[in-house]
Amino acid sequence: MLKKARYTWTMLPFGMLLVASVALAADDPSAVAAHNSVSIDTVWTLVAAFLVFFMQAGFAMVEAGFTRAKNAVNIIMKNLMDFSVGSIAYWAIGFGLMFGADALGLFGTDGFFLSAGNPATREGLWQFAFWMFQVVFAATAATIVSGAMAERTRFTAYLVYSAVISAFIYPIVGHWIWGGGWLSNLGMVDFAGSTVVHSVGGWAALAGAALLGPRYGKYLESNGRKISQAIPGHNITLAALGVFILWFGWFGFNPGSTTAGTNLSIATIAVTTNLAAAAGAIAAMFTAWSMYGKPDATMALNGVLAGLVAITAPCAVVSPGSAVIIGLIAGVIVVFSVEFFDKVLHIDDPVGAISVHGVCGAFGTLAVGLFAEAKYAKAAGLGEVNGLFFGGGFHQLGVQLIGVFAVFAWVGIASFVLFYFLKKTVGLRVSQEEELRGLDIDEHGMEAYSGFQVFTTQ
């Protein structure tokens, strides 16, 4: 029988939280501690989820700013609807496939329609908080593709893609690594999703952009060679705002992946996250400066994102010094990767999503096998994890490498099949005339900047 309730003020990073400490007996401090721990963990996880949700606005701003004004409404609608459609798909199917009872190490078999949620029990209530945190991650994976396929994709096809990646493609990878699947059993570490979230989005973007083809006028033929033509974004200020929003949201993405406000490693994770982002910006700026003769703002902005993506897997297992090194390497990689996909493979990626999320996500995942230190891993509750540079040998690096290639194969094949099916059915690409007029007019019947531009139907 409940004897009395005690109320204590607990300081949290986002303000004062009143926690009702209900004990089975007035002199039972362990029950009070357990109740408070669940309350703090739930609030922390939800606040982190809300920060990650705000990243949708960041992605929308980055993609809109890096593309042309005549497609801004289309970009906003895709970012709005991939979260909306994805939320329903993940609630109905994706969450169960990702975290349900394991079948053969490949997928989950229960928990569909959030059936594990129960407002009558503490564990049941936690399921609601955990689902909220996971659905915003699923939305992040989905929205990455929007930028790489921008300015020429049919809106209907994008809606179908958003449902499929949220319900099937992303959750399968999530189960392998986070849901007790075969990669988890091998010992793969991807703390906050360099591979689970970002490489999934990046490799899906690669498949989609390759099948879709480049924007009209992107490549010109000269002496039998394709020459890449720059198609500048219409608002770099908007893109910069988006990057700052994403940087801010990443403090929910990485530290929030503890799903425990009582896990004080959130402090070191926040530090490593910030340092990698800063180092990525600096490295990308100087790399672009040396290549182009100017400190290119778009590359510096993508350098921030490259550092953030790369640190997402190892953020809980590396030191601040290692985080700086990881960010610096990612900042260099992203510049050369953007050039490679554009100038060598001739894959048109208007925002650099493949390089930022796919390539730097893979690098970040491998960085665990290089830079992990057991003292940081233990503090985060991950056990004894040491990378090659800290006495761990090649074992962890080998496991990480298997994971990177397995996810690349699954996502690449599944996404290619999906986009090929869409291409042959509803159609994947708009007509040349629609592309030249802009998707805002033909797909949505409106302009983002009414009165500021002149559009013709010729």
Side-chain angles (χ1 to χ4, degrees):
M1 181 180 296
L2 294 177
K3 291 191 175 181
K4 70 175 183 177
R6 291 200 298 270
Y7 296 87
T8 59
W9 287 100
T10 304
M11 287 297 297
L12 288 179
F14 296 92
M16 302 290 286
L17 169 69
L18 180 62
V19 179
S21 303
V22 183
L24 294 177
D27 57 351
D28 187 356
S30 62
V32 175
H35 181 88
N36 283 354
S37 176
V38 171
S39 300
I40 292 169
D41 292 349
T42 300
V43 172
W44 165 248
T45 300
L46 286 173
V47 170
F50 304 152
L51 283 172
V52 178
F53 169 74
F54 190 45
M55 290 171 68
Q56 285 290 122
F59 281 114
M61 298 301 98
V62 169
E63 292 168 18
F66 278 168
T67 53
R68 289 169 289 186
K70 63 183 180 180
N71 299 304
V73 172
N74 181 257
I75 293 290
I76 298 303
M77 281 295 291
K78 288 196 294 184
N79 279 271
L80 171 66
M81 296 314 299
D82 61 33
F83 184 78
S84 301
V85 173
S87 290
I88 303 301
Y90 191 73
W91 165 73
I93 302 172
F95 186 70
L97 285 178
M98 191 161 172
F99 293 106
D102 178 66
L104 306 174
L106 298 176
F107 53 86
T109 57
D110 61 10
F112 303 107
F113 297 96
L114 197 51
S115 59
N118 183 357
T121 67
R122 186 177 299 178
E123 174 58 30
L125 286 168
W126 164 251
Q127 288 295 319
F128 291 113
F130 187 65
W131 179 87
M132 192 66 230
F133 187 73
Q134 293 300 329
V135 74
V136 292
F137 273 53
T140 298
T143 203
I144 289 166
V145 180
S146 171
M149 299 176 67
E151 302 200 294
R152 70 257 200 224
T153 305
R154 285 195 179 279
F155 186 65
T156 303
Y158 188 80
L159 292 178
V160 176
Y161 146 78
S162 297
V164 173
I165 192 173
S166 301
F168 298 105
I169 297 175
Y170 166 78
I172 294 298
V173 175
H175 184 79
W176 291 355
I177 300 173
W178 290 346
W182 69 279
L183 286 173
S184 173
N185 293 331
L186 280 181
M188 183 178 179
V189 175
D190 184 7
F191 186 76
S194 287
T195 283
V196 174
V197 179
H198 295 282
S199 282
V200 166
W203 302 142
L206 174 60
L211 262 177
L212 190 61
R215 290 168 290 174
Y216 181 75
K218 174 61 180 174
Y219 298 105
L220 299 180
E221 293 283 347
S222 177
N223 297 322
R225 296 175 59 244
K226 287 184 177 180
I227 307 299
S228 176
Q229 305 296 305
I231 302 179
H234 84 282
N235 194 329
I236 302 305
T237 303
L238 197 63
L241 174 62
V243 169
F244 280 116
I245 290 173
L246 289 170
W247 196 335
F248 175 65
W250 235 284
F251 293 122
F253 207 100
N254 286 1
S257 290
T258 60
T259 63
T262 51
N263 184 336
L264 297 185
S265 68
I266 58 178
T268 55
I269 295 169
V271 170
T272 56
T273 298
N274 191 70
L275 289 174
I282 293 169
M285 180 189 70
F286 279 110
T287 302
W289 204 339
S290 67
M291 292 173 64
Y292 312 135
K294 298 287 184 181
D296 186 283
T298 61
M299 284 298 187
L301 292 171
N302 266 339
V304 173
L305 301 181
L308 288 167
V309 169
I311 199 61
T312 297
C315 60
V317 299
V318 299
S319 69
S322 294
V324 171
I325 296 171
I326 291 168
L328 289 172
I329 296 172
V332 175
I333 287 174
V334 74
V335 177
F336 284 100
S337 179
V338 166
E339 288 287 300
F340 176 74
F341 282 106
D342 183 25
K343 306 284 178 61
V344 178
L345 296 185
H346 301 121
I347 294 176
D348 184 14
D349 179 359
V351 304
I354 300 167
S355 299
V356 168
H357 299 280
V359 176
C360 290
F363 163 67
T365 304
L366 296 177
V368 173
L370 298 173
F371 296 98
E373 295 183 58
K375 62 182 179 182
Y376 291 99
K378 288 179 180 177
L382 299 176
E384 190 88 16
V385 181
N386 277 307
L388 176 64
F389 299 151
F390 293 90
F394 286 95
H395 173 73
Q396 190 65 46
L397 182 60
V399 170
Q400 301 297 111
L401 193 63
I402 291 170
V404 166
F405 279 109
V407 172
F408 176 79
W410 159 248
V411 176
I413 294 170
S415 298
F416 185 88
V417 170
L418 170 62
F419 287 125
Y420 186 80
F421 172 78
L422 292 173
K423 185 176 182 178
K424 295 299 182 180
T425 53
V426 299
L428 189 58
R429 182 169 184 148
V430 299
S431 68
Q432 180 177 317
E433 291 76 15
E434 290 172 317
E435 183 180 339
L436 291 174
R437 278 193 298 269
L439 275 62
D440 291 0
I441 293 293
D442 284 285
E443 291 278 77
H444 307 284
M446 63 180 63
E447 303 171 24
Y449 305 100
S450 181
F452 287 85
Q453 296 165 278
V454 177
F455 292 97
T456 68
T457 58
Q458 301 300 316

